[in-house]
Amino acid sequence: MVQHEALDAATKGFKEEVTKELGKSHVKFDTQNAQGDSSTATTICNNFASENEDLILANATASLQAASAATKSIPILGTAVTNYQVALNLKKFNGTVGGNTSRTSDLAPLDKQEKMIKDFVPKAKKLGIKVPAGYKAYKN
């Protein structure tokens, strides 16, 4: 969606792993960036759909939404999206998006975050973590 160190790293890591798994001679990437413009993201994804690409990596929420609207048959892998339920307007969400979309999340495991904070601040009596909508809250 935009050039950003974290988003670029996610794309780079994806490309490296796909190339490692399939071999350089078996992959071709068409990397395009909407530069923050949702209508450009829509155009890019519609072009990918019309070209019948094998897979779309949707990096960030707006890219995921554009890819999801563009195709129901080409596999989509979402990355750098915190809340898929909200991004894709899913009524019920159990962690699996379904359809032609699979996901990774940029939300770190809350239980591990809690443990890390407790390790750093062992005398803390209360700890609050904001949980995105759609995720089950828990209390320890």
Side-chain angles (χ1 to χ4, degrees):
M1 188 60 190
V2 296
Q3 286 189 288
H4 182 277
E5 187 176 328
L7 299 177
D8 294 347
T11 298
K12 181 180 180 222
F14 170 79
K15 289 170 134 181
E16 288 172 355
E17 288 303 310
V18 168
T19 301
K20 183 173 102 180
E21 290 297 318
L22 300 177
K24 190 174 183 175
S25 64
H26 296 288
V27 296
K28 181 182 121 187
F29 298 102
D30 180 358
T31 305
Q32 297 187 34
N33 191 310
Q35 297 303 329
D37 184 4
S38 294
S39 63
T40 301
T42 297
T43 299
I44 290 168
C45 290
N46 285 336
N47 287 339
F48 286 163
S50 70
E51 293 168 9
N52 201 29
E53 297 291 357
D54 294 320
L55 173 74
I56 297 172
L57 173 68
N59 192 338
T61 300
S63 297
L64 176 67
Q65 292 166 332
S68 181
T71 181
K72 299 297 181 212
S73 59
I74 297 172
I76 300 167
L77 175 61
T79 190
V81 176
T82 301
N83 193 327
Y84 285 79
Q85 183 175 17
V86 172
L88 296 175
N89 195 28
L90 302 172
K91 302 297 179 218
K92 293 182 180 180
F93 183 68
N94 63 1
T96 302
V97 177
N100 62 322
T101 303
S102 188
R103 71 184 190 98
T104 63
S105 179
D106 62 0
L107 180 66
L110 297 177
D111 58 334
K112 291 180 181 174
Q113 288 183 34
E114 177 188 32
K115 181 184 179 328
M116 181 181 70
I117 293 169
K118 285 182 175 179
D119 288 346
F120 286 136
V121 191
K123 294 182 181 182
K125 299 292 181 199
K126 293 184 179 183
L127 170 64
I129 298 176
K130 184 175 183 332
V131 180
Y135 289 88
K136 292 181 181 178
Y138 64 93
K139 184 177 181 180
N140 285 337

